[in-house]
């Protein structure tokens, strides 16, 4: 167990819908990262938050947004969903300022039908 | 931005043999290089990491080497076992203050055969 918790584990939804994925980082970690992993693909960096503020951005679509709350949990919002958005979405956290190792949650498998 | 290339994409070795996976990175500002192991449908798990001020690090059967000049780093697994079969990802981190981006390679599927 990495200490990073993601909910839900599985999500099935229809095209055009909106979903919210939730992540609770390890105790004491201020940085949260979101990654997308499509079938048999690598890990695509979406976005990083540090202590409530966006700090780094990757290839995140405009239909996607994220935030980190005062209690440090983070949410990834995916809207106007398309079939191609079906993927595993991972959250990871690391200690202050992104220093040190990043530990991953178990992921949310999103299926868009 | 950072670009990480990883080779080979698939690797098959016999049990007991060694496996080597190589990665190159493009951004000389990258200063931290972790390796993750991912089993099917599971989370990537950190297996070893190295910082830019170190040339080599070893942990039992796993070792990582870093050549900053050439911008490449490698994972070495000795005495492979069937449970080593998984997808391995290298990564490079670029950090500016509290902004941190961990860029992953495309992964190597390692198959250890009996």
């Amino acid at each position: 167990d990495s200490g990073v918790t993601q909910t839900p584990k599985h999500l099935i939804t229809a095209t055009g819908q909106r979903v919210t994925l939730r992540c609770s980082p390890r105790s004491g970690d201020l940085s949260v990262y979101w990654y997308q992993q499509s079938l048999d693909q690598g890990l695509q960096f979406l976005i990083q938050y540090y202590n409530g503020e966006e700090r780094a951005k990757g290839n995140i679509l405009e239909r996607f947004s994220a935030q980190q709350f005062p209690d440090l949990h983070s949410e990834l919002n995916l809207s106007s969903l398309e079939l191609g958005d079906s993927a595993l979405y991972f959250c990871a956290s690391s200690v202050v300022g992104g220093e040190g190792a990043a530990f991953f949650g178990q992921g949310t498998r999103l299926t868009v039908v | 931005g950072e670009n990480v290339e990883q080779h080979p994409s698939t690797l098959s070795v016999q049990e007991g043999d060694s496996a080597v996976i190589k990665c190159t990175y493009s951004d000389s500002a990258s200063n931290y290089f972790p390796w993750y192991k991912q089993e099917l449908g599971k989370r990537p798990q950190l297996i070893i990491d190295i910082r830019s001020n170190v040339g080599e690090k070893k942990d039992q059967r796993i070792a990582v080497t870093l050549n900053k000049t050439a911008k490449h780093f490698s994972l070495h697994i000795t005495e492979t076992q069937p449970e080593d079969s998984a997808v391995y990802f290298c990564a490079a981190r670029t950090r500016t203050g509290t902004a941190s981006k961990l860029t992953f390679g495309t992964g190597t599927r390692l198959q250890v055969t009996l």
Side-chain angles (χ1 to χ4, degrees):
Chain A
D1 184 7
S2 65
V4 179
T5 304
Q6 286 186 250
T7 56
K9 288 185 179 178
H10 302 278
L11 198 50
I12 301 175
T13 190
T15 54
Q17 294 299 303
R18 171 190 171 95
V19 297
T20 297
L21 313 183
R22 182 188 169 104
C23 169
S24 294
R26 293 186 316 159
S27 177
D29 284 359
L30 299 181
S31 272
V32 169
Y33 312 81
W34 286 97
Y35 284 85
Q36 180 192 55
Q37 186 175 42
S38 301
L39 191 62
D40 277 346
Q41 297 294 309
L43 292 150
Q44 299 298 318
F45 172 70
L46 296 178
I47 200 163
Q48 179 225 354
Y49 277 82
Y50 169 73
N51 202 20
E53 296 189 12
E54 180 187 310
R55 280 288 182 256
K57 218 165 184 177
N59 298 323
I60 187 167
L61 299 173
E62 285 191 11
R63 300 184 286 110
F64 295 2
S65 65
Q67 53 185 329
Q68 186 180 27
F69 295 87
D71 67 352
L72 301 178
H73 90 271
S74 178
E75 292 181 356
L76 179 67
N77 300 296
L78 315 176
S79 62
S80 302
L81 285 168
E82 302 174 358
L83 295 178
D85 297 327
S86 296
L88 258 174
Y89 291 85
F90 285 104
C91 163
S93 73
S94 67
V95 297
V96 175
E99 191 66 54
F103 294 90
F104 282 78
Q106 79 274 25
T108 293
R109 182 171 294 282
L110 173 66
T111 303
V112 182
V113 297
Chain B
E2 176 65 278
N3 181 49
V4 178
E5 293 189 356
Q6 183 171 347
H7 301 280
S9 57
T10 60
L11 179 59
S12 182
V13 299
Q14 283 197 320
E15 183 180 6
D17 287 350
S18 295
V20 180
I21 302 171
K22 299 183 178 182
C23 289
T24 60
Y25 62 98
S26 61
D27 191 343
S28 57
S30 290
N31 60 0
Y32 171 71
F33 307 91
W35 287 86
Y36 288 84
K37 174 183 179 182
Q38 187 179 28
E39 296 175 358
L40 189 63
K42 297 192 176 181
R43 78 184 83 197
Q45 289 191 297
L46 179 71
I47 55 171
I48 195 168
D49 55 12
I50 191 167
R51 300 184 189 281
S52 58
N53 58 349
V54 175
E56 184 173 353
K57 183 177 179 180
K58 189 173 181 179
D59 182 5
Q60 298 183 332
R61 298 186 296 108
I62 295 173
V64 58
T65 58
L66 171 65
N67 183 326
K68 282 178 58 179
T69 303
K71 295 200 190 93
H72 68 70
F73 55 114
S74 301
L75 177 71
H76 305 253
I77 306 174
T78 59
E79 300 172 18
T80 53
Q81 301 168 3
E83 52 264 39
D84 294 330
S85 296
V87 178
Y88 291 80
F89 290 97
C90 64
R93 183 187 67 201
T94 308
R95 191 169 71 92
T96 306
T98 55
S100 176
K101 186 183 288 190
L102 199 58
T103 303
F104 283 82
T106 50
T108 296
R109 185 176 301 276
L110 174 64
Q111 180 71 43
V112 180
T113 58
L114 297 174

